[in-house]
Amino acid sequence: MTPPASVPVLSAEGLSVSFDGRTALSNVSLELPRGRIVSIIGPSGCGKTTLLRCFNRMNELVEGAHTAGAVRFEGFDLYAAHVDPVEVRRQIGMVFQQPTPFPKSVFDNVAFGPRASGFKGDLHALVEEVLSSAGLWPEVAAELDAPALALSAGQQQRLCIARTLAVKPSVLLMDEPTSALDPTATARIEALVHSLKGTYTVVIATHDLQQAARLSDLTAFLDGGDLVEYGPTETLFTNPRDPRTESYLTGRAR
Ligand SMILES: Nc1ncnc2c1ncn2[C@@H]1O[C@H](COP(=O)(O)OP(=O)(O)O)[C@@H](O)[C@H]1O
Ligand SMILES: [Mg+2]
């Protein structure tokens, strides 16, 4: 059953995270609407990665991490005792700054998740479908058995996106997914992210303000662990409400 569109896919309510007693996120509340692209911007160390990692329960893997407040996924408490974090990470996939293909073939990278979750359908068809969605199929169709690590960095990142899509997530978290890539590879990833809009909810942490402006419907600006401002991307960039947002945007533009 698909929940009503009015229920945000993900929401944080009074979310705070500390590492060894040092605050990394402070009382953050925001809602992520279904099918939209949301950027998280802010200076290095402001808490972008930490916020993304709250959305798929990865911070709990860090010793000394403490999370308070609530995260809801489809309206349900993501941190409730009965929720399986592995299932959470299937439904809320993550792509990292450095492409992280497994040392396996292109095919086996994409097939990894479906195989692990006991997929019974046509695996070949699924691999083709998600490689096509990731804009990589024409480049790898004849080389599915080639090692993934032989691909270029940009291709590896698109492969990692395909691998994430293969388990049919509803949300894709992307942590600075293009900062290790050249401009051409970056443009291809941006086109790919744009094509995912509507089908997936995408949350993309980026220090590239132009990228946030180009790609996202909504932008959140974090500073020192505080959510300073969150709203439509165009408004935030052209008419920020908070002086800290304005100063960050203009400081970075100089
Ligand atoms: N695993 C960790 N252990 C200790 N401190 C951490 C850890 N991860 C992040 N932090 C701290 O939390 C704050 C926010 O970091 P992070 O979320 O990585 O920021 P950003 O992604 O915006 O650069 C920083 O002060 C950082 O040093
Ligand atoms: Mg980060």
Side-chain angles (χ1 to χ4, degrees), residues 153-164:
Q155 289 173 323
Q156 288 186 17
Q157 193 63 308
R158 280 180 280 143
L159 179 68
C160 290
I161 293 169
R163 186 177 66 191
T164 307

Side-chain angles (χ1 to χ4, degrees), residues 17-20 22-25 40-53 59 61-65 97 175-176 205-206 222 224-225:
V17 178
S18 60
F19 295 102
D20 300 317
R22 277 204 310 270
T23 301
L25 270 188
I40 302 173
I41 61 169
S44 183
C46 70
K48 300 184 291 298
T49 297
T50 301
L51 179 57
L52 286 187
R53 290 167 60 97
N59 285 326
L61 304 173
V62 178
E63 208 177 318
Q97 178 172 345
D175 195 1
E176 309 220 12
T206 180
L222 289 176

Side-chain angles (χ1 to χ4, degrees), residues 98-194:
Q98 294 293 336
T100 53
F102 303 132
K104 295 171 178 290
S105 71
V106 169
F107 185 93
D108 287 344
N109 263 273
V110 182
F112 185 87
R115 279 175 174 147
S117 56
F119 179 76
K120 294 285 188 301
D122 182 343
L123 195 54
H124 240 281
L126 176 65
V127 168
E128 176 172 349
E129 175 201 321
V130 294
L131 282 170
S132 300
S133 302
L136 192 57
W137 178 251
E139 291 158 63
V140 298
E143 297 170 77
L144 293 176
D145 293 329
L149 292 168
L151 299 174
S152 72
Q155 289 173 323
Q156 288 186 17
Q157 193 63 308
R158 280 180 280 143
L159 179 68
C160 290
I161 293 169
R163 186 177 66 191
T164 307
L165 299 182
V167 292
K168 306 285 173 186
S170 52
V171 179
L172 206 54
L173 309 174
M174 308 182 99
D175 195 1
E176 309 220 12
T178 61
S179 55
L181 303 180
D182 67 32
T184 307
T186 295
R188 299 204 63 158
I189 298 280
E190 287 188 10
L192 161 57
V193 171
H194 191 75

Side-chain angles (χ1 to χ4, degrees), residues 12-19 22-29 47 50-51 54 59 64-71 79 225-227:
E13 292 162 26
L15 183 66
S16 297
V17 178
S18 60
F19 295 102
R22 277 204 310 270
T23 301
L25 270 188
S26 185
N27 197 24
V28 167
S29 298
T50 301
L51 179 57
C54 287
N59 285 326
H66 181 258
T67 304
V71 179
Y79 285 74
D226 297 326
L227 178 62

Side-chain angles (χ1 to χ4, degrees), residues 52 55-56 58 87-96 160 163-165 167-175 201-203:
L52 286 187
F55 287 141
N56 72 348
M58 276 177 64
E87 176 60 15
V88 166
R89 290 176 205 131
R90 186 189 70 71
Q91 295 198 40
I92 307 173
M94 188 144 177
V95 174
F96 304 91
C160 290
R163 186 177 66 191
T164 307
L165 299 182
V167 292
K168 306 285 173 186
S170 52
V171 179
L172 206 54
L173 309 174
M174 308 182 99
D175 195 1
T201 306
V202 180
V203 192

